[in-house]
Amino acid sequence: MNDLKVLILAAGQGTRMKSDVPKVLHRVLDKTMLGYVIEASKEADAKEICVVVGHQSAMVKNTIKDIYEDISFAVQKEQLGTGHAVMQAGDFIKSGNILVLCGDTPLITAETIKKLCEKHENEGNSATVVSMVLDNPTGYGRIIRENDNFSKIVEQKDADSEQAKVKEVNTGVYIFKAEKLCEALSGLSNENAQNEYYLTDTLEIIKNSGEKIGIMVAEDDKEFMGVNSKLHLSYAIKAMKERINTNLMLDGVTIIDPENTYIGKDVKIGPDTIIYPGCMIEGKTEIGDSCIIGPNTRISSSSIDNCVTIQMSVLLDAKVKSFTSVGPYAYLRPNSNIGEHCRIGDFVEIKNSNIDDGTKVSHLTYVGDSDVGKCVNFGCGTVTVNYDGKNKFRCKIGDEAFIGCNSNLVAPVEVGKRAYTAAGSTITKDIPEDSLAIARNKQENKNGWRKKVNK
Ligand code: UD1
Ligand code: CA
């Protein structure tokens, strides 16, 4: 469809979330609910997207603008109903085909939107609504049919006992020809049980003007799952997780316990990588083939090449090249670039540093703001002293250097190629290539001291 415009309703307060955060900004895994709806719209080729905001509109706008380009906003000051919300979009709804979505149904897919658009066009409908059939339709608007055709939608609170028995309900997703929608909106009234302007009534108005209304029965109810409480949020997370993990497994990723593995929609993972339980992998993370990740690992916005092992560690905005192992209990903070065949061992923290191929930082070490060459060996307990309370300085460590255990490297300082530091040294001066630096007091033995002090 070449004139598809998407209007996303997101003005409601979401009282039942019991939260200071607007409902549509709550996250399902690593993305806001509204974000998923926007992305599905874009994937379905929406030409324009407008979000109707109301409660905490500034927070919603700012959060969304930071992430997504080309989104416009309309403000609904008072929440007088879904029809009223659509009216606030002004010129946006005056041309094209208007798809209405809700900001609190994160599971909607682009495929479903595309199917709806096709049906709407092929049947020449003035409006097409997506319905679903539920064992328990309570709370939803009922789709009332006449000789199988659309007649009207009756809200739960306005339904008589016969209507209330109908199991086919309105998902809240529809597409309208703009002119027909606008005409119908001008004829809306709020004479109903909730004194609201119902968008659902526009369908009956359009039908009564002699136009065709289509109904597309949804294949998968889950896509229309609305989130109204933190409990619902957990259902949405579960469903999203299942969808993402299923796709990854079908693409050849081994996920040992999908129930206990939380991977974001934008994450890419290569085949034959094994994900052990308890992992959270977020943002635009890319992981190559044949890696072993986890258990209990968090990786955010990082890039991991092939054949990397990461156990029980946290990686934020980090890069790790092939055949390197990380952890257990390592912390790679933003802008850590680790080369090939490296070992980053237990209780090692690395920040804003480049570690070149073959280097080993095996245990209990902090490397911050440093450029480390190839095949360097860090002894246990090395600290780069990079911060004087005001400024940060860099350490430079040449290829094949050997940092003795429990060394402090006080930056700015440079350790030359193949240089050694003696264990326990506090290094404050540059060390030339191939040299040994000893920076500690000489040992003095007081012979027989124990016997003397104990009489
Ligand atoms: C609506 C439908 C109902 C359907 C159900 C599906 C109407 C009248 N009813 O009911 O037939 O079965 O969705 O979930 O449309 N919103 C605004 N401004 C408002 C009111 C609502 O922006 O003034 C937004 C909400 O933030 C929400 C969406 O519209 O994202 C739906 O509103 P909600 O109050 O949840 O509608 P329902 O009563 O559930
Ligand atoms: Ca509702």
Side-chain angles (χ1 to χ4, degrees):
M1 187 175 275
N2 54 19
D3 60 354
L4 176 64
K5 290 170 154 187
V6 179
L7 185 65
I8 304 173
L9 306 187
Q13 186 172 11
T15 326
R16 280 174 287 164
M17 294 299 277
K18 301 201 174 145
S19 171
D20 291 336
V21 177
K23 177 160 85 173
V24 294
L25 295 187
H26 282 270
R27 281 169 196 277
V28 168
L29 302 172
D30 56 356
K31 228 184 256 296
T32 63
M33 293 203 273
L34 182 51
Y36 287 101
V37 181
I38 289 172
E39 288 181 16
S41 306
K42 291 194 167 199
E43 283 162 31
D45 269 347
K47 294 292 167 291
E48 288 177 53
I49 300 173
C50 175
V51 183
V52 182
V53 290
H55 277 277
Q56 290 166 289
S57 55
M59 203 200 284
V60 178
K61 271 190 206 175
N62 292 336
T63 309
I64 293 304
K65 269 189 197 155
D66 278 353
I67 306 172
Y68 303 99
E69 288 169 1
D70 307 325
I71 308 284
S72 63
F73 294 89
V75 179
Q76 185 192 27
K77 289 208 182 81
E78 263 185 300
Q79 278 68 61
L80 302 179
T82 47
H84 181 259
V86 172
M87 289 178 210
Q88 309 314 305
D91 284 347
F92 185 85
I93 55 170
K94 295 222 167 99
S95 62
N97 278 290
I98 313 296
L99 173 74
V100 178
L101 300 175
C102 290
D104 59 1
T105 53
L107 292 150
I108 183 93
T109 63
E111 291 71 49
T112 296
I113 296 175
K114 282 184 191 160
K115 269 190 201 153
L116 175 64
C117 293
E118 270 169 35
K119 183 179 168 77
H120 178 70
E121 263 188 335
N122 293 345
E123 294 181 356
N125 298 328
S126 287
T128 311
V129 55
V130 182
S131 74
M132 58 183 169
V133 179
L134 297 179
D135 287 337
N136 176 11
T138 311
Y140 288 92
R142 307 300 201 278
I143 304 270
I144 308 299
R145 292 185 185 241
E146 224 178 69
N147 304 326
D148 238 25
N149 295 324
F150 179 87
S151 168
K152 60 182 171 180
I153 297 174
V154 179
E155 291 304 299
Q156 169 83 33
K157 288 184 178 146
D158 300 290
D160 62 30
S161 59
E162 276 309 300
Q163 291 166 333
K165 282 182 198 153
V166 174
K167 294 198 155 129
E168 186 179 11
V169 302
N170 170 23
T171 58
V173 174
Y174 350 68
I175 184 164
F176 298 88
K177 278 188 186 156
E179 319 82 69
K180 301 297 165 195
L181 172 65
C182 290
E183 268 170 46
L185 285 171
S186 61
L188 271 191
S189 97
N190 65 349
E191 283 162 28
N192 51 49
Q194 304 188 74
N195 291 118
E196 284 184 1
Y197 295 92
Y198 292 164
L199 178 62
T200 45
D201 287 347
T202 59
L203 294 162
E204 191 185 358
I205 296 172
I206 295 170
K207 189 211 73 180
N208 287 343
S209 71
E211 299 289 322
K212 228 173 127 188
I213 308 288
I215 303 177
M216 181 170 106
V217 183
E219 280 164 26
D220 180 8
D221 307 349
K222 270 202 192 122
E223 283 195 34
F224 306 94
M225 183 193 288
V227 172
N228 294 314
S229 67
K230 299 274 171 71
L231 181 63
H232 293 160
L233 187 66
S234 77
Y235 299 153
I237 292 169
K238 191 174 157 64
M240 187 64 78
K241 183 179 70 182
E242 215 171 276
R243 181 187 286 175
I244 293 169
N245 288 348
T246 300
N247 287 336
L248 287 168
M249 289 186 282
L250 293 177
D251 283 345
V253 178
T254 302
I255 301 181
I256 303 292
D257 184 0
E259 275 288 300
N260 269 307
T261 303
Y262 302 80
I263 302 176
K265 179 179 169 235
D266 298 336
V267 172
K268 294 195 171 79
I269 305 180
D272 283 332
T273 283
I274 304 176
I275 314 283
Y276 281 93
C279 290
M280 302 198 70
I281 308 178
E282 310 162 318
K284 296 211 187 310
T285 293
E286 289 191 26
I287 299 177
D289 303 352
S290 305
C291 293
I292 298 176
I293 309 291
N296 301 329
T297 289
R298 178 170 172 228
I299 302 177
S300 187
S301 306
S302 294
S303 127
I304 318 281
D305 287 355
N306 301 331
C307 305
V308 169
T309 299
I310 300 176
Q311 293 182 71
M312 293 183 273
S313 291
V314 175
L315 280 72
L316 312 175
D317 289 299
K319 287 195 175 76
V320 180
K321 292 204 177 148
S322 302
F323 301 104
T324 282
S325 80
V326 176
Y329 308 109
Y331 184 18
L332 303 190
R333 291 169 55 201
N335 207 15
S336 295
N337 300 304
I338 317 294
E340 289 178 16
H341 293 282
C342 290
R343 187 156 106 211
I344 308 298
D346 49 279
F347 306 103
V348 171
E349 176 176 332
I350 296 185
K351 186 213 79 173
N352 191 27
S353 293
N354 302 304
I355 310 276
D356 211 335
D357 300 345
T359 285
K360 293 190 170 66
V361 193
S362 295
H363 10 238
L364 298 161
T365 290
Y366 171 61
V367 180
D369 302 307
S370 298
D371 301 298
V372 180
K374 291 185 175 45
C375 300
V376 171
N377 189 84
F378 281 81
C380 179
T382 301
V383 176
T384 54
V385 184
N386 59 326
Y387 185 50
D388 66 3
K390 265 194 197 143
N391 298 304
K392 303 252 167 77
F393 300 94
R394 293 193 79 82
C395 282
K396 193 163 182 239
I397 300 170
D399 295 348
E400 294 172 53
F402 186 100
I403 311 298
C405 288
N406 202 23
S407 292
N408 299 311
L409 305 175
V410 182
V413 76
E414 182 169 345
V415 177
K417 288 183 183 173
R418 293 176 304 278
Y420 269 58
T421 74
S425 290
T426 291
I427 304 296
T428 54
K429 287 188 275 189
D430 291 352
I431 310 172
E433 286 183 23
D434 295 304
S435 310
L436 167 67
I438 309 175
R440 65 182 187 222
N441 283 342
K442 272 205 175 135
Q443 180 169 331
E444 179 191 351
N445 291 343
K446 301 198 169 176
N447 295 337
W449 175 85
R450 179 65 187 266
K451 280 185 179 149
K452 280 182 214 153
V453 293
N454 286 351
K455 291 168 286 172

